[in-house]
Amino acid sequence: MLVSMKWLKELVDVDLAVPDFVERLDMTGTAVEAVRTRGEELEGVVIGSVLMKEPHPDADKLVYCRVDIGTGDPLRIVCGATNFEVGDKVPVACVGATLPNGLTIKKAKLRGFTSEGMMCSAPELGLGGDATRLLVLPPDAPVGVRFSEYQGTTDTILELEVTPNRPDCLSMAGVAREVAAVTGKTARRPSSAPAESGTPVTESVSVEIADPDLCPRYTGRLIRGVKIGPSPPWLAERVTSAGARSVNNIVDITNLVMFELGQPLHAFDASTLATREGVGAVTVRRARDGEVLTTLDGQRRTLDSEMLVIADDSGAIALAGVMGGESTEVTSETRDILLESACFNPSSVSRTSRSLALISEASMRFERGGDPQGCVDALDRAAALMAEIARGQVAPGIVDAYPVPASDRLLELRVERMNSILGTDIPIEESAAILSALGMEVTPSDSKTLSVSVPTFRSDLEREIDLVEEVVRAWGMERVSSTLPGGRGRIGRLTPRQRWIRRIDATMRAVGLNETMTYAFIDPTDLERTRMSLGEEERFVEIVNPMSEEQAVMRWSLLPGLLRSVSYNQRRGVFDVHLYEIGTVFSTSSGRKLPREHTAVGGVLTGAWSSQVWSGDSHPLDFFDGKGVVEALAEDLGSTGLSLRVSELDWLQPGRSAEVLLDRKAAGWLGEVHPKVAAALGAEPPIVAFELDVDALLDAAHDTRTYTEIPRFPAVTFDVALVVDESVTAERVEQAIRKSGGALLDSVRLFDVYRGKGVPEGSKSLAWALSYRAPDRTLTDDEVRPVHEKLVRKVCAAVNAHLRGE
Amino acid sequence: MSIIDELQSLKAEALASIADAETLSQLDSVRVTFLGKKGSLTRVLRGVGFLPAEERPVVGKISNEVRAVLEAAIQERQAALAEADLAARVSADAIDVTLPGRKRLPGRKHLINQIAEEVVDIFLGLGYMVAEGPEVELDHYNFTALNHPPTHPARSATDTFYVRDLSQGLDEDQGPVTEVLLRTHTSPVQVRVMERQKPPVYVIVPGRVYRRDIADPSHLPQFQQIEGLAVDEGITFGDLKGTLDYVCKELFGRDRMTRFRPHFFPFTEPSAEVDVSCGICAGSGCRFCKKTGWLEILGCGIVDPNVFGYVDVDPEVHTGFAFGMGVERIAALRYDIPDLRMLVEGDMRFLRQF
């Protein structure tokens, strides 16, 4: 909502300076989004006097002029208009000026003549009038003075953010009422009663509402014999200050009254209405499915029965509350005007304007709620102006279809209750004064309660709490003292699950991964790209109205997003990437309304922990670095049940791919991303990745740990290198060792894996350090050796191994 | 030469050799040469048996003295050599201490989650529990039960992401607006919490929300919000002010001020927007705060009785306040982030800064 300060000051006294005024509005709930100075756009337009006017030698339709703009150096201007003489005063846009229509004036050559500016028509200056004629000013217009200054169009315009509950503030009168209430002034409401003449309106027009649920009230007046023409400057200025374009006197009057009183009006050319026995019969009814209407913007629109139209016997002539129809449009030939002032159902207007993508000043007001009681005031005001400005004759009477007249709402405000909600001590008298200033009728029903009659223009005030808000915003939220809730005591604590997730988060960072966030919506074709799959019955969670096809489904895995982040880094020369994300993954299936949501923790590692360090240790990250992360996580969660199951997962490189099990239950996967998958997402392998289900992790987590005695006696360690077939896993060998170990075996550690010289093709050597220890004495080599030799024999038999070098 | 003279010259010779020994092993061979079983001193002493009996005690005494002197000299020399040896090793071990350290840096938490955790921790201290809710929500929780009228513009398919509803099977033809959506705020969790918990309720709700905004420097179609809800007997608008004022000071600094501007939200009344005083100009107005001296930071209000109606809380008995803040907004204000899209790109160079 644009508010001209000049206009506003006619409706209410404002004695605050602009910044203070703006702050007062801000602090009482009318947000001022911007403050602009009007007239600035006419910077560079000055008043000039024509010194010379000669025909252009090479162009019939152009004239060549010299124009004095008070600088002592008359401008050379080539001009297309001819409605002026030497000595006339005209507005001149100098080089560099930008006009309201966006045109920037440059020095130009027109048919060989230099033109150093432009003499302007009224529309070029944002005013109403004939675009083919220069705006010739009175002879006393001062040469060289800025046009906006001369016109008095310099003005401060406030851009207000009117919240959806306050349609009453979408008008100058409404803003003035609000301003009066919060600054302690009195608003002046514009109104006029038209002088009536001729035959009564009812002899020419009838109105009927067929669907009163969508149209509480429809009123009309007939103005005969209007002369359509440009608006007088004050009218053009008013409507342009409110953000509209000056069209002609009739359209401008309807807009003026809408801006002034907040009531949208529509003018029909009365002669175009289909008549029934000489009477133009207007019906407000639902459109028929498939009914067609060409609106004022020239668009042919197909309607449906959810939309409301104004119709005559020939069909729809306007889209109620949204836009008029072309067939009944006011033209320069129009003589008789049927003026509509009505109230339409907000939801219906909203639906219609949205489904046709047609938002107008009128629809914007109606969808927030009109005031049926305000229809006639606006009608009278516009009719009076049409009589005055367009010399029309206002037919006696109005047509008024108003099936169920609206009445003021009665509310009670318990002042004690209000103060207990606010934490204030606002006196009853002060509360009453605030509500009265806002236009309500207030009477105390007892010493603690106000009885409040709410006028129909404040349809947002329906309950006591709405009045509480009115009082506190005008009284001043800044005056409410700050306290903290008391209550009977409470405890702030994370739940066990929330604490575990923080633990997972901390472990991820402790092992060197950095947290990232990726988009939760991804490309459905990422499923093929990553060679992943959903379960048999599982479906994507599809977005009906995605921003793009690349973001059309909710992620079922963190992997696609994380791989894209790897690619993003690599393409920018960052090759050491260690990322993790804890986030929601989604899937659904037939019959589900809400999808399944799981929290997952995923990670990607590529490059080295730290490349190019002088001290070495920058091995390229591989499977085992990822496995190390998963192991660290399991350990930190107190889980001893971690195991990997060799498993060929399509998105991982065969042979470097495993399922992660916790207490033998599936918890996720781990591996090196298949080179084809990496390539499909623009990332460079090798990339280690994993994804684990957080709830599976939490199921395996234990937060009770038990104390085990620290050994008091030293261990005896024997190393053994066992040559086994490639197909024998380290895990199998370790299990065999532990099984054969006996009571003295204390720990088993793999310290080397060797292939090559001395080890046959197809075999590998696994070197183990086995520690033996007794809890009650120091063991000797002699005591341990037979135990160790027996163990080695048993293991060799179990996994078909032999000692390296034998 | 008498045996005494021999001992004296042996002593002089041995002392010279000890002084000449350059290493501990040389010193040791000197010791063996003079004091060992087959050493010079032993050999000389063998001659003592041939001396007259009266001379023997004198020679014995002198020889013991010589041995004591030599042993002391060797010990002293040994200490000196060990000292020199250590000094040499230490000197050889010197390094350039300005070379970079060997480190495995711990990872960093994402900026947004750092802030979210910070806010959550402030509220844990104020006695709030952390609540969560689904990111894919029902219209009922996201809009209806939060007092949004059926025609509320936020419900349009241009503002809100709708999700295909499979409750009627896979083939059902669906319009652009279904009953299932990506939550547009964390407020539906208010309703879910109050459905399962009677007052008093003090919860803080961090979570991801979605709006149909094109990603640009100041918008993301997904972002993080933190919702707060307090419902109890006697909760006041003043409590809301005090709580948020405390939180803003914790987040931005003790010297920052807050102001409450009346506003409109469907699910609170009275409602307000909260501004925090600009940290750059301290409220006098600068480019950062668009000359207002204030930065908008969150929305809040007293829980609307209509919301209580949906969850069966009696507004005559209980009152409550609720607020919601955008974490990205706080991040942008605190760190002057030029482009919010950096938050979802995963650039290591960005993530490691915070």
Side-chain angles (χ1 to χ4, degrees):
Chain A
M1 169 79 190
L2 299 179
V3 170
S4 147
M5 285 303 291
K6 217 154 91 178
W7 190 350
L8 184 67
K9 283 175 178 172
E10 289 179 14
L11 303 176
V12 63
D13 293 336
V14 177
D15 45 22
L16 293 169
V18 172
D20 298 331
F21 181 65
V22 165
E23 187 178 344
R24 185 72 194 138
L25 289 182
D26 269 335
M27 295 310 287
T28 53
T30 310
V32 181
E33 300 222 294
V35 179
R36 281 186 273 137
T37 307
R38 194 166 124 84
E40 273 173 352
E41 65 266 41
L42 294 180
E43 192 88 42
V45 180
V46 298
I47 296 168
S49 171
V50 182
L51 300 180
M52 180 196 93
K53 176 190 179 196
E54 281 174 8
H56 191 293
D58 300 328
D60 291 346
K61 290 187 177 154
L62 296 180
V63 291
Y64 175 66
C65 310
R66 297 295 295 268
V67 184
D68 174 20
I69 56 164
T71 56
D73 182 16
L75 301 179
R76 286 172 281 266
I77 295 178
V78 179
C79 179
T82 53
N83 65 307
F84 64 98
E85 301 304 331
V86 169
D88 276 352
K89 303 289 170 54
V90 291
V92 179
C94 304
V95 171
T98 300
L99 298 179
N101 59 13
L103 179 71
T104 299
I105 307 300
K106 292 185 203 113
K107 201 167 185 172
K109 275 211 162 169
L110 282 168
R111 305 265 176 137
F113 277 78
T114 300
S115 189
E116 300 170 319
M118 187 178 95
M119 294 185 280
C120 303
S121 67
E124 282 164 339
L125 298 173
L127 304 171
D130 188 342
T132 64
R133 297 165 65 84
L134 289 194
L135 176 61
V136 176
L137 302 170
D140 61 355
V143 171
V145 167
R146 278 177 54 191
F147 177 72
S148 56
E149 205 174 301
Y150 167 73
Q151 283 282 89
T153 46
T154 350
D155 192 0
T156 300
I157 307 284
L158 307 185
E159 198 178 323
L160 303 187
E161 182 202 350
V162 177
T163 51
N165 59 326
R166 292 300 301 277
D168 62 302
C169 280
L170 290 172
S171 68
M172 293 303 298
V175 171
R177 184 169 50 225
E178 178 70 22
V179 166
V182 299
T183 59
K185 307 284 182 199
T186 309
R188 296 176 284 272
R189 190 174 171 80
S191 74
S192 336
E196 300 174 330
S197 60
T199 53
V201 59
T202 43
E203 287 179 22
S204 309
V205 182
S206 74
V207 173
E208 178 201 355
I209 300 173
D211 290 290
D213 54 325
L214 299 187
C215 177
R217 189 177 196 182
Y218 194 98
T219 69
R221 265 192 183 277
L222 188 64
I223 300 98
R224 299 192 180 93
V226 296
K227 297 202 171 44
I228 310 284
S231 290
W234 72 265
L235 176 56
E237 190 212 320
R238 276 286 142 91
V239 296
T240 48
S241 78
R245 199 166 44 89
S246 173
V247 179
N248 60 41
N249 49 9
I250 296 300
V251 172
D252 287 0
I253 288 168
T254 60
N255 280 332
L256 176 88
V257 174
M258 173 177 69
F259 292 133
E260 193 175 64
L261 301 177
Q263 171 64 49
L265 301 173
H266 184 66
F268 296 96
D269 182 333
S271 69
T272 63
L273 295 178
T275 54
R276 206 184 288 160
E277 291 162 7
V279 175
V282 172
T283 307
V284 186
R285 60 159 168 85
R286 281 171 201 272
R288 298 183 186 98
D289 279 322
E291 189 168 4
V292 168
L293 172 70
T294 303
T295 43
L296 280 176
D297 54 6
Q299 300 283 310
R300 247 176 83 87
R301 300 183 185 268
T302 307
L303 313 179
D304 64 51
S305 58
E306 289 294 296
M307 300 170 179
L308 190 71
V309 294
I310 316 302
D312 64 11
D313 286 351
S314 70
I317 56 171
L319 206 47
V322 180
M323 194 176 267
E326 202 175 58
S327 66
T328 51
E329 186 180 1
V330 172
T331 67
S332 55
E333 311 302 319
T334 300
R335 303 265 307 138
D336 298 344
I337 300 281
L338 170 63
L339 189 61
E340 162 201 295
S341 177
C343 186
F344 300 109
N345 176 286
S347 311
S348 160
V349 172
S350 164
R351 225 170 16 236
T352 304
S353 92
R354 263 158 233 286
S355 69
L356 295 175
L358 190 59
I359 294 169
S360 61
E361 289 277 356
S363 72
M364 194 255 290
R365 285 174 172 77
F366 282 126
E367 72 178 25
R368 290 165 184 227
D371 173 18
Q373 297 292 69
C375 291
V376 174
D377 262 5
L379 197 62
D380 285 351
R381 171 96 174 123
L385 288 170
M386 286 182 188
E388 182 191 322
I389 293 167
R391 283 180 279 152
Q393 290 181 321
V394 181
I398 61 172
V399 283
D400 185 0
Y402 196 9
V404 186
S407 54
D408 289 2
R409 182 180 281 117
L410 273 178
L411 296 176
E412 285 213 322
L413 177 65
R414 294 166 293 166
V415 176
E416 265 180 16
R417 172 81 186 141
M418 173 186 80
N419 281 318
S420 79
I421 292 171
L422 296 174
T424 50
D425 201 7
I426 306 173
I428 189 167
E429 302 77 23
E430 211 172 337
S431 311
I434 288 169
L435 295 174
S436 312
L438 286 165
M440 284 162 248
E441 233 173 82
V442 185
T443 46
S445 44
D446 59 50
S447 65
K448 295 170 173 177
T449 309
L450 296 175
S451 168
V452 180
S453 168
V454 181
T456 51
F457 61 78
R458 286 303 302 271
S459 58
D460 60 310
L461 304 181
E462 298 176 299
R463 303 160 302 166
E464 183 181 45
I465 192 71
D466 301 321
L467 300 178
V468 171
E469 176 171 65
E470 290 305 289
V471 173
V472 72
R473 70 180 182 84
W475 184 73
M477 284 184 174
E478 72 279 3
R479 294 166 69 187
V480 178
S481 17
S482 291
T483 50
L484 284 174
R488 284 162 299 170
R490 54 189 170 273
I491 287 162
R493 177 113 168 95
L494 295 176
T495 61
R497 184 176 192 273
Q498 289 160 353
R499 286 201 298 276
W500 280 120
I501 290 177
R502 280 204 180 181
R503 187 95 168 244
I504 293 170
D505 197 39
T507 306
M508 288 291 111
R509 290 197 300 283
V511 298
L513 303 190
N514 297 285
E515 191 186 23
T516 188
M517 281 182 165
T518 61
Y519 278 118
F521 13 66
I522 57 179
D523 191 334
T525 59
D526 276 352
L527 192 65
E528 289 116 64
R529 236 174 247 125
T530 55
R531 309 178 10 142
M532 296 180 106
S533 52
L534 299 174
E536 183 109 352
E537 297 294 320
E538 271 187 308
R539 294 286 181 275
F540 286 137
V541 175
E542 280 176 69
I543 298 168
V544 183
N545 54 338
M547 301 295 287
S548 70
E549 277 311 303
E550 288 80 49
Q551 298 190 327
V553 298
M554 300 306 283
R555 62 184 178 192
W556 63 90
S557 159
L558 302 173
L559 183 66
L562 288 172
L563 287 179
R564 288 188 193 283
S565 291
V566 169
S567 159
Y568 184 95
N569 278 289
Q570 290 175 336
R571 277 185 281 124
R572 284 159 184 79
V574 179
F575 298 106
D576 297 336
V577 182
H578 332 110
L579 297 173
Y580 78 98
E581 179 171 13
I582 298 178
T584 311
V585 293
F586 305 81
S587 72
T588 190
S589 47
S590 181
R592 290 188 75 99
K593 204 168 191 78
L594 286 181
R596 281 177 287 266
E597 295 188 13
H598 289 283
T599 309
V601 51
V604 281
L605 297 86
T606 182
W609 283 119
S610 52
S611 283
Q612 295 155 0
V613 288
W614 62 276
S615 57
D617 186 34
S618 60
H619 73 272
L621 295 171
D622 67 12
F623 182 89
F624 296 104
D625 295 285
K627 186 171 176 185
V629 171
V630 175
E631 285 170 343
L633 191 56
E635 178 174 339
D636 202 51
L637 294 178
S639 164
T640 49
L642 172 70
S643 60
L644 294 193
R645 180 158 64 204
V646 176
S647 180
E648 300 286 296
L649 301 170
D650 289 340
W651 59 95
L652 299 176
Q653 185 173 323
R656 291 177 174 238
S657 152
E659 278 180 80
V660 177
L661 308 180
L662 283 165
D663 300 335
R664 300 209 188 83
K665 282 184 284 191
W669 53 264
L670 159 72
E672 290 187 25
V673 173
H674 198 291
K676 283 185 179 168
V677 172
L681 284 137
E684 192 64 41
I687 300 163
V688 190
F690 64 89
E691 184 165 319
L692 306 169
D693 181 63
V694 163
D695 287 300
L697 287 173
L698 301 195
D699 282 346
H702 301 285
D703 55 0
T704 48
R705 298 199 179 212
T706 49
Y707 166 73
T708 354
E709 206 175 350
I710 308 298
R712 282 192 291 153
F713 295 93
V716 174
T717 302
F718 283 89
D719 291 349
V720 59
L722 297 171
V723 176
V724 293
D725 190 77
E726 280 288 3
S727 65
V728 178
T729 64
E731 189 178 41
R732 238 186 92 197
V733 177
E734 185 176 333
Q735 280 166 357
I737 293 173
R738 288 189 187 280
K739 217 172 135 193
S740 323
L744 295 182
L745 183 64
D746 183 55
S747 77
V748 179
R749 182 170 57 89
L750 179 71
F751 67 88
D752 190 37
V753 179
Y754 176 79
R755 295 177 181 84
K757 206 173 156 206
V759 175
E761 273 290 300
S763 295
K764 62 193 170 190
S765 164
L766 303 175
W768 304 85
L770 308 184
S771 294
Y772 298 87
R773 194 195 303 268
D776 53 352
R777 65 189 191 280
T778 302
L779 293 175
T780 62
D781 278 15
D782 291 343
E783 190 181 354
V784 172
R785 185 162 294 112
V787 176
H788 176 69
E789 282 168 358
K790 194 175 153 203
L791 179 150
V792 170
R793 276 196 305 279
K794 275 171 126 178
V795 172
C796 285
V799 298
N800 196 19
H802 63 269
L803 293 180
R804 191 170 158 202
E806 275 182 8
Chain B
M1 193 168 18
S2 79
I3 203 159
I4 290 170
D5 294 341
E6 216 173 325
L7 279 172
Q8 291 304 342
S9 90
L10 184 75
K11 177 181 160 193
E13 193 191 339
L15 286 174
S17 298
I18 289 168
D20 285 351
E22 288 293 326
T23 65
L24 287 169
S25 63
Q26 275 174 24
L27 185 65
D28 196 50
S29 52
V30 170
R31 184 186 59 79
V32 172
T33 307
F34 290 97
L35 299 178
K37 281 182 186 164
K38 293 171 184 169
S40 315
L41 183 63
T42 318
R43 187 164 37 78
V44 171
L45 289 181
R46 259 185 228 124
V48 173
F50 303 101
L51 290 175
E54 66 276 13
E55 283 181 36
R56 283 185 204 167
V58 181
V59 173
K61 187 171 171 259
I62 293 172
S63 71
N64 280 340
E65 279 167 14
V66 169
R67 175 175 291 271
V69 166
L70 292 186
E71 277 177 349
I74 286 170
Q75 210 165 28
E76 192 186 330
R77 183 65 185 153
Q78 206 165 25
L81 285 177
E83 183 73 20
D85 203 48
L86 179 65
R89 258 190 296 130
V90 163
S91 151
D93 273 355
I95 50 166
D96 176 358
V97 297
T98 66
L99 285 171
R102 265 180 221 108
K103 61 192 166 194
R104 263 285 292 285
L105 288 173
R108 308 293 309 172
K109 196 174 176 68
H110 193 279
L111 171 62
I112 291 303
N113 285 342
Q114 281 183 37
I115 296 173
E117 197 169 294
E118 194 179 330
V119 175
V120 164
D121 286 347
I122 293 170
F123 279 95
L124 286 172
L126 290 172
Y128 288 60
M129 298 289 282
V130 180
E132 290 145 314
E135 293 178 33
V136 181
E137 252 306 357
L138 296 174
D139 172 280
H140 173 78
Y141 288 104
N142 197 76
F143 291 129
T144 306
L146 290 167
N147 202 31
H148 285 64
T151 54
H152 195 280
R155 281 185 138 127
S156 76
T158 53
D159 289 11
T160 295
F161 288 109
Y162 283 90
V163 165
R164 217 172 129 80
D165 176 356
L166 299 187
S167 56
Q168 303 305 312
L170 299 174
D171 302 324
E172 202 207 6
D173 200 24
Q174 294 177 349
V177 170
T178 66
E179 285 171 27
V180 191
L181 47 81
L182 301 187
R183 65 177 176 191
T184 60
H185 45 185
T186 39
S187 312
V189 184
Q190 282 187 31
V191 183
R192 287 185 176 272
V193 167
M194 287 191 282
E195 267 184 355
R196 57 176 189 249
Q197 183 188 340
K198 289 295 146 204
V201 170
Y202 291 87
V203 290
I204 187 87
V205 187
R208 179 176 279 189
V209 303
Y210 304 85
R211 290 188 194 166
R212 274 188 100 254
D213 284 323
I214 293 167
D216 69 21
S218 50
H219 296 88
L220 287 178
Q222 73 176 33
F223 55 98
Q224 305 292 311
Q225 234 183 24
I226 301 181
E227 186 89 4
L229 173 71
V231 182
D232 206 341
E233 288 176 23
I235 290 278
T236 67
F237 190 79
D239 292 340
L240 172 64
K241 279 188 70 179
T243 301
L244 293 178
D245 187 62
Y246 170 72
V247 171
C248 287
K249 284 184 160 62
E250 283 291 303
L251 280 176
F252 296 101
R254 289 269 125 205
D255 54 333
R256 304 291 277 275
M257 290 172 301
T258 52
R259 70 169 187 181
F260 287 65
R261 277 181 292 104
H263 198 71
F264 172 78
F265 301 110
F267 45 105
T268 50
E269 181 148 18
S271 304
E273 280 186 331
V274 182
D275 299 336
V276 63
S277 58
C278 177
I280 307 268
C281 62
S284 60
C286 66
R287 254 182 44 207
F288 191 66
C289 58
K290 297 191 186 114
K291 308 229 177 207
T292 60
W294 297 96
L295 303 163
E296 186 189 323
I297 191 81
L298 52 82
C300 64
I302 294 291
V303 178
D304 193 291
N306 287 359
V307 175
F308 282 155
Y310 281 99
V311 291
D312 202 22
V313 170
D314 183 354
E316 289 293 316
V317 178
H318 292 103
T319 47
F321 64 69
F323 58 87
M325 59 181 101
V327 185
E328 279 75 1
R329 170 92 184 139
I330 299 173
L333 291 181
R334 257 195 3 193
Y335 299 98
D336 208 3
I337 308 280
D339 191 332
L340 293 185
R341 289 173 295 189
M342 300 173 95
L343 296 168
V344 289
E345 281 161 351
D347 191 321
M348 289 281 290
R349 297 164 299 178
F350 178 78
L351 297 174
R352 291 219 50 99
Q353 287 179 25
F354 302 99

